[in-house]
Amino acid sequence: MIAREESAVSGLPPLPLMLGVAAASIVSIALVWLVGQQTLVALAYGGSLVALLLTLLLVARLKAPAADHTVFEPDWAVTSAAIENRRRGVAIIDRANRLVCANSTYEAWFGAESAPPELAFDPQSREAVMAAVREAWRDGTASLDLVMLEGSEAHYRLHIDRSGRGEAYLVWRFAELREERSYEGLPERLSGRLGDVISRAGLELALVGPDGIVVTTTPGLAERATGSRDTSLAGLEFVQLLRSDDRDRIFFAREGQQGSPQTLVHVPLDTPHNARLSDADQALSMMLLVDSSVGIGGGWEGNGKAAIPQLEALLSALPLGLALTDRDGRFLFANKAFLRAVERVDQGLPQFPSDLVVREDKAAMADTVRRFAKGATASGDMAVRLANDKEEPVSIGLAGVRGLGDAAVLLSISDSSEEKRLRRQVAQATKMQAVGQLAGGVAHDFNNVLTAIIGYCDLMLLRHTPGDSDYDDIQQIKANSNRAASLTRQLLAFSRQQTLRPVVLQLPDVVSEVSQLLKRLMGEKIEFSVRHDRELGSVRADPQQLEQVIINLAVNARDAMQAHAMKRGKHDWKGRLTLATRRVSARDVRKMGIDIMPADDYTVLIVQDTGGGIPEEHLNKIFEPFFTTKEQGKGTGLGLSTVYGIVKQSNGFIFADNVQGPDGTPIGARFTMYLPVHKGELPADMRGEEPEEPKATEWSAGGKLLLVEDEDTVRAVAERALVRAGYTVTAVADGEEGLAAIANGNTEFDLIVSDVVMPTMDGPAMARAIRKVKPDVPFLFMSGYAEEQLRSEIDIDNMHFIPKPFSVQQINAKVSEVLSEQR
C-alpha cells in the first residue's frame, strides 16, 4: 500500500483561495491609483504587495509536510482474522519457510510454533509434501488428497497456493478428513422450518448434551415449555422442562396436568463404538416427545396408536437411520437412511432385525431386541456385523418405547457409507503404495542378479564362436535373462521408479501413432474405432510410455472379448474396441465427486470394449502386480500394473468400471485415464525428437577406474569387463572402502564407477565426501532404480548413470563415453 497526501505534494494553498487573493490585490492597487492619481505610487504599492504575497507562499511551501511514500508491511493480524475457519487449518510461510501467520484451527491442530514444513509427517507424506511445495513455488498451486502425521490417526487434505506481493508467500490449507456425525446440521434444521413442520404434526424434539443441558429444540417445544419460541433455551436442563404424576405420566412443567400427557423416547446419537471417530464426551442425545393422547381428527385416545403415522412421518424426514419393531421383534417401519446404512435400499426390510446380521450375531441381536421390547424403558447399543458387510462391525442403538401402540423398540444406526468409502480409498492407496515399494525393491535386487548373468554370458561368448556347441546355449541363457530384465522394467513401471522422458504433446497424436499397430493386433473380428473431442488441452508425458499404456489396454481388451465369446460358445463372434479422447474441466471434476483427484482441467483417454465387463470382486485388484484372470501360462499379470504405474508417474489417474447394458448387466469394460492439462508455455515442437541410442565412443587411451559395488558377482563381472577393455581397475566392496582408496592418495582415478544402494555408506554419501577432496572427479552410478529419481535425490555435478542390468558392451561403451567427455 502506498499512501500519499495531495496537499503535501503541491505545497500550495487551494486554488480558489489563491484566485481570491489575486483579485483583492488588483482592486487595492486600482483604488490607490484612483485616490492619488500618481502612477509611480500605485506601482510601488503593487510591487510591495506582490513581494509580500510571494513571501507568504514560500513560507507555506516550506512548512508543508513531505509526501508520504511509506510502503506498509502486511498487517498479519488482519490476515489472521480473514483466514479464520473452524474446519480448516490455514498457515502462511515465507520463502525461508518461516511461519508468519496462522489461524486458531491450525494452532489447535499442530501448535502455534510449528511451520507447516516442520510438521512430523510420516515418510510417505513428507516426500509428497516436499514435492507439492516445489510444485507450488513453480506453478503457483499444488494439492494432496491424503497427508498423515506420525503417531496420529488424523488424516488431512492439503492445498498450497503461492500468493502475496512478489508471490513471496505460500498459503497452506489443511482440511481434516473425518467422519461427519450423523446429526451434522440437525440443530439448525430443528430450529428452522423443519422444526415447525414437526411441531405442527404433534411431535416435539430436543437435542440434549451429555450434561443434560438443552442445545436446541423445535419451536413448538420451546413455546410449550417456556412460553417463547426461542429454541436455544440456553442453560436449561431438559429434566426441568417436564413433570410426572403419580401414574408416571409425563407432562410439560409449564402446562402441568392440564396439558396433554407425553411419551418420551430417548435416542442416543453417538455410541461408544463410534467414539474412535467422534468424541464420546461431546455426544448428543435426541429427546422425542409424542403427544400420546392426540388422535386422528382431533379425538382423544389413550393407547398412542394414532401417533404411529405421525412418528413414521417424522422418522422419514430425519437424516438418522431409524427403525421401529413391535414387541415380538418384527420390523414395523424403517426410514431411507436406515435402509442405506444396512445396504438394503432395493431389497427392503426383512422380517426381523436378526436377519440383517451374520449368523454368529443373530441370537444376540434377537435376544437384545426382545429384552428392550418387554423390559423397562431403557436405551443402549450393541456392535454387530451386517450380513452384506462382514468386514466392518457397526453399532446399532436400541431404545425401548412405551405408549406408541405396537411400536416397542426404536433401532438407530449411522449411515457410514461415506466413511467406509473413504476408509476403502485410504486402505487401497496404502496397499498400492506398499506393493509398489515391494515391487521396486524386488526389481532392484533382481537387476543385480541379471547383471551378473548377462555379464558372464557376454564374457563366455567372447571365448566361443557361432560354430561351437555351447554357443547356442549361452545365447539362450542371455535371451532369457533379457526377457527377465523386461519383467523387472514392468515392476519398476508399477512402482513409479522407471526413467521417463516427458514432453508436451497432444493425446490424439499418440493415438494416431499407435493406431496402425492396434489394427493389426486386434485382427479381423474386432472393429476398431477412434473418436476425438475438440479443443483438447496438451499434456506432459513420455510419448513412448503412453503408447505402451494404449497397447497394454488394447491387448487386454482383445483377450477379454475373445475369452467372453469362447465362454458363451460363440466361435463366429464380433467385438468392438473404442478409443475416445475427452475434455474434462475442473467444474466437471467437482461434480464427479472423486476425492482422490484434484479439481483441475484434464485430457481424458477412454478405452472401452465389449468383453462382458470385469467381475465386481476383481475391480479393486486388477492393477496389482501378478494378478490375472487368464489361464496359467497365458499372462504375467503385469500389463495393467504397468499401465497404472506409468499413469501415476505422469501425475495422472486411471479408473476401471463396467459398461451397463439396457437390462443392467455388464456388457463391457471401460478404462478412463485422466492426464492433467499442461499449463505452461507450449514448445514449438510439441512431440520432440525421439532420443537416439547412444553410440559407443572410441576411447583407447585407457584410464584408472575405482569400482565400488557391494554385490560380489556384479563387482567381479564389471571388473573383468573393464580390465579386458584396457582399464586399470581398483575394486572395493562398499562406500567406506572407496572413500579410503581416495584418501590414501596413491592413485589418481579418472572415473569412479559406483553402485547407489550399499550398506554402511551408500554411493551418494561417498560421492559427496569424495568431492570435498576431489571436486573434479566424475562419477558413473549403476542402479536398478530410475535415473530421474536418482538425479533428483543425488543432485551433484558431473554425474552419469547406467541402468542395471547391463551387458559387457554397454558398460564399456558408457565408461568410454564418460571419459571422452572429460577431455
Side-chain angles (χ1 to χ4, degrees), residues 183-192 207 215-217 231 269 284:
Y183 52 83
E184 197 78 24
L186 187 57
E188 294 79 9
R189 298 173 66 183
L190 283 183
S191 60
L207 289 183
V215 176
T216 189
T217 69
T231 59
L269 297 184
L284 300 182

Side-chain angles (χ1 to χ4, degrees), residues 377-533:
T377 303
S379 63
D381 68 278
M382 64 180 303
V384 295
R385 288 174 298 162
L386 298 177
N388 50 9
D389 187 8
K390 302 178 182 179
E391 300 293 331
E392 190 73 22
V394 299
S395 178
I396 293 183
L398 301 98
V401 295
R402 301 295 180 264
L404 294 179
D406 293 334
V409 179
L410 178 69
L411 303 178
S412 61
I413 185 172
S414 298
D415 183 5
S416 58
S417 55
E418 185 67 20
E419 177 203 349
K420 291 178 182 177
R421 185 182 64 83
L422 179 61
R423 189 181 293 116
R424 282 195 296 265
Q425 286 183 356
V426 173
Q428 180 70 7
T430 304
K431 180 178 70 173
M432 296 296 278
Q433 183 72 21
V435 173
Q437 290 180 342
L438 174 63
V442 170
H444 174 266
D445 293 342
F446 197 44
N447 275 333
N448 281 331
V449 177
L450 293 175
T451 300
I453 296 174
I454 294 173
Y456 279 117
C457 287
D458 289 336
L459 293 174
M460 291 174 66
L461 288 174
L462 294 175
R463 301 194 302 270
H464 293 77
T465 59
D468 292 348
S469 59
D470 295 335
Y471 184 85
D472 293 337
D473 295 338
I474 299 172
Q475 284 283 27
Q476 191 65 33
I477 295 173
K478 185 177 179 181
N480 284 311
S481 300
N482 287 326
R483 182 184 175 191
S486 68
L487 293 179
T488 62
R489 283 193 293 270
Q490 289 179 294
L491 285 175
L492 288 174
F494 170 76
S495 58
R496 297 176 243 171
Q497 294 173 356
Q498 66 172 342
T499 300
L500 295 182
R501 295 180 176 86
V503 297
V504 180
L505 50 83
Q506 286 286 349
L507 200 53
D509 295 341
V510 180
V511 176
S512 176
E513 289 284 340
V514 80
S515 292
Q516 294 300 321
L517 175 60
L518 290 182
K519 290 178 181 178
R520 292 194 296 270
L521 288 174
M522 294 300 102
E524 298 179 354
K525 293 187 177 183
I526 298 177
E527 177 187 347
F528 177 66
S529 62
V530 179
R531 297 195 300 269
H532 295 303
D533 207 349

Side-chain angles (χ1 to χ4, degrees), residues 529-550:
S529 62
V530 179
R531 297 195 300 269
H532 295 303
D533 207 349
R534 294 182 178 181
E535 299 179 1
L536 294 174
S538 57
V539 300
R540 188 172 185 271
D542 187 328
Q544 291 183 338
Q545 298 297 335
L546 283 186
E547 290 176 1
Q548 184 67 42
V549 167
I550 297 172

Side-chain angles (χ1 to χ4, degrees), residues 130-141:
M130 293 302 102
V133 170
R134 292 191 294 269
E135 180 182 351
W137 283 123
R138 183 182 67 246
D139 301 333
T141 185

Side-chain angles (χ1 to χ4, degrees), residues 163-244:
S163 186
R165 184 172 55 248
E167 297 187 337
Y169 299 96
L170 286 185
V171 182
W172 297 57
R173 294 181 176 88
F174 292 86
E176 186 177 7
L177 300 174
R178 62 182 180 90
E179 177 201 19
E180 291 190 351
R181 292 184 173 92
S182 56
Y183 52 83
E184 197 78 24
L186 187 57
E188 294 79 9
R189 298 173 66 183
L190 283 183
S191 60
R193 184 174 300 176
L194 176 63
D196 286 328
V197 174
I198 294 173
S199 295
R200 286 196 297 269
L203 308 171
E204 302 298 349
L205 283 178
L207 289 183
V208 180
D211 53 359
I213 303 299
V214 176
V215 176
T216 189
T217 69
T218 53
L221 189 150
E223 187 173 12
R224 295 184 68 176
T226 64
S228 170
R229 294 181 65 84
D230 182 5
T231 59
S232 62
L233 303 182
L236 293 180
E237 293 188 23
F238 180 74
V239 295
Q240 295 177 351
L241 307 180
L242 304 175
R243 291 289 185 271
S244 61

